[in-house]
Amino acid sequence: MKKLLFIIITLIFSLGCTEQDTNSANPSNALLGTWQLIAVLADPGDGSGTFIPVDSDAIITFNADGSFVSSHALCNSITTDSTINTSGTYDITTMILLPDNCSQLGDAAGFNIFFSLTEGELILSLPCIEPCGQRFKKIS
């Protein structure tokens, strides 16, 4: 009986130690899926800006092939217009989105959007003169 109990406890511990959270082992797994815009940041230039909640239907979807599609204009950081789609690729190692249709801004290759995953939220740091950004929650 003691041997059986020992074997069961050993199996439980070995399974618990070898099974990993796939999101922590691979950050791109946490990014994959669809995210909805929940807040925007617009700083007046003095560092006092905070994220303000928004009611928006703007979403961004990250695919396993390294591409993303957004239902809103990421190339214009001031708007959350959901009639202009933005698409491109992302690099999980550098945490950068590379939009492929921001040509109206001149050098589209230089238009990088940094992102972070913090406490289950996706935060985009948009290229602005003053700090600005967008915060998303995962919906699927």
Side-chain angles (χ1 to χ4, degrees):
M1 183 67 172
K2 287 182 182 181
K3 284 185 180 183
L4 180 61
L5 183 59
F6 176 75
I7 291 171
I8 292 172
I9 291 173
T10 303
L11 284 173
I12 292 171
F13 280 117
S14 67
L15 289 175
C17 293
T18 58
E19 191 172 315
Q20 294 180 356
D21 177 8
T22 57
N23 289 342
S24 63
N26 185 354
S28 65
N29 286 346
L31 184 63
L32 296 179
T34 301
W35 300 76
Q36 182 171 14
L37 181 66
I38 59 170
V40 295
L41 169 68
D43 191 278
D46 62 3
S48 67
T50 59
F51 278 97
I52 307 296
V54 295
D55 184 22
S56 174
D57 60 351
I59 59 170
I60 186 168
T61 301
F62 293 91
N63 303 306
D65 66 357
S67 67
F68 75 88
V69 177
S70 172
S71 71
H72 67 294
L74 289 178
C75 300
N76 181 347
S77 58
I78 298 171
T79 183
T80 59
D81 184 354
S82 61
T83 62
I84 304 170
N85 292 346
T86 303
S87 62
T89 59
Y90 66 91
D91 185 339
I92 195 69
T93 58
T94 59
M95 305 292 276
I96 294 177
L97 300 182
L98 305 161
D100 58 18
N101 54 351
C102 293
S103 59
Q104 73 272 18
L105 299 173
D107 179 17
F111 192 89
N112 297 333
I113 300 170
F114 292 90
F115 67 91
S116 63
L117 291 170
T118 306
E119 297 177 10
E121 294 183 331
L122 169 68
I123 298 175
L124 303 184
S125 298
L126 302 167
C128 304
I129 295 171
E130 306 299 340
C132 63
Q134 298 176 345
R135 182 182 292 161
F136 295 79
K137 72 173 181 176
K138 195 167 195 176
I139 58 173
S140 68

